[in-house]
């Protein structure tokens, strides 16, 4: 049976998200921002983060899927290989808002191998935004395959598989208020 162990409590997350919001507010004082959340994992983080940034801003979502790299309900993945990216990322939902000339902050739940955000960053840059930054709630630097730099990082975490606060395992556990390590996968 999978076992859940709290890694980051809801209080710890809320404090850090407020700090990240303050930092973004300082960096973009007097300017406007469009936040772009990466579906679906970043939805909860984005909704908390944008409410900590009292600037002229809006948000949108982008959707991607990575072929065969995430565990499905019928799989019994043994170890890390089960959720390793295979390198093929595909756009499933483009942004609805124009991005040219705007300050864009990409909002992602977790930075793992880096393949997803590398793909999305390239895509967004093609729209010629005024600036492009990345805000990731979690960072797992030990798993990186492609170099990528996030300007705002909530927490650096170990390589273990985590769920909750938007993050899933085969679409489950997104609604947990805390970030938990999923043990005995
Ligand atoms: P990357 O392309 O390997 O950086 O993948 C990033 C995406 O993989 C995240 O947006 C998550 O959807 C997913 N992911 C990576 N690690 C985890 C994890 O520990 N728990 C849940 N999802 C994860
Ligand atoms: Mg994701």
């Amino acid at each position: 049976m999978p076992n859940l162990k709290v890694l980051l409590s809801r209080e710890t997350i809320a404090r850090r998200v407020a700090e990240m919001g303050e930092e973004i507010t300082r960096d973009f004082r007097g300017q406007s921002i469009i936040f772009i959340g990466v579906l679906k994992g970043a939805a909860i983080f984005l909704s908390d983060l944008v409410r900590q940034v009292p600037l002229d801003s809006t948000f949108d979502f982008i959707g991607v899927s990575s072929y065969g790299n995430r565990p499905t309900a019928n799989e019994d993945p043994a170890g890390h290989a089960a959720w390793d990216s295979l390198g093929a990322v595909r756009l499933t939902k483009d942004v609805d808002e124009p991005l040219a000339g705007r300050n864009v902050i990409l909002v992602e739940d977790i930075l793992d191998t880096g393949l997803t955000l590398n793909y999305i960053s390239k895509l967004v840059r093609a729209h010629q935004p005024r600036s492009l930054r990345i805000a990731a709630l979690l960072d797992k630097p030990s798993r990186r395959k492609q170099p990528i730099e996030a300007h705002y990082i909530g927490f650096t975490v170990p390589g273990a598989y985590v769920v909750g606060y938007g993050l899933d395992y085969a679409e489950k556990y997104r609604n947990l208020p805390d970030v938990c390590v999923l043990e005995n996968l």
Side-chain angles (χ1 to χ4, degrees):
M1 271 298 281
N3 179 41
L4 296 167
K5 205 166 113 196
V6 175
L7 178 68
L8 302 166
S9 72
R10 62 204 78 180
E11 295 83 9
T12 302
I13 296 168
R15 272 197 302 274
R16 186 69 190 119
V17 172
E19 288 172 1
M20 295 173 84
E22 284 167 20
E23 206 181 328
I24 291 170
T25 304
R26 275 197 305 275
D27 291 351
F28 288 90
R29 193 167 299 286
Q31 302 181 59
S32 57
I33 302 172
I34 177 164
F35 293 89
I36 299 180
V38 183
L39 291 170
K40 302 173 216 173
I44 293 177
F45 173 43
L46 178 135
S47 76
D48 283 345
L49 183 65
V50 295
R51 285 179 288 174
Q52 300 294 333
V53 180
L55 298 177
D56 173 27
S57 77
T58 188
F59 61 83
D60 196 355
F61 290 98
I62 195 167
V64 290
S65 89
S66 321
Y67 290 111
N69 64 333
R70 306 302 177 217
T72 66
N74 302 324
E75 283 171 351
D76 182 21
H80 270 87
W83 73 86
D84 270 358
S85 286
L86 298 179
V89 184
R90 184 172 57 93
L91 186 72
T92 57
K93 187 217 166 284
D94 204 349
V95 289
D96 301 319
E97 292 289 311
L99 303 180
R102 301 174 77 179
N103 295 311
V104 174
I105 299 185
L106 275 173
V107 181
E108 178 59 307
D109 52 1
I110 185 165
L111 195 45
D112 190 37
T113 63
L115 297 176
T116 305
L117 271 178
N118 256 312
Y119 174 86
I120 296 173
S121 303
K122 273 192 203 123
L123 217 110
V124 169
R125 268 199 211 96
H127 289 266
Q128 300 188 300
R130 172 188 166 133
S131 67
L132 175 61
R133 292 192 174 188
I134 292 169
L137 178 72
L138 307 175
D139 185 18
K140 277 185 190 170
S142 63
R143 303 236 323 138
R144 202 76 86 249
K145 286 181 181 166
Q146 286 184 359
I148 181 120
E149 193 190 310
H151 293 82
Y152 309 102
I153 288 173
F155 304 91
T156 300
V157 294
Y161 200 85
V162 291
V163 296
Y165 196 73
L167 292 128
D168 76 308
Y169 173 72
E171 297 301 327
K172 269 178 69 117
Y173 309 117
R174 291 194 196 275
N175 59 326
L176 295 178
D178 310 303
V179 169
C180 302
V181 172
L182 191 57
E183 294 174 331
N184 310 325
L185 266 181

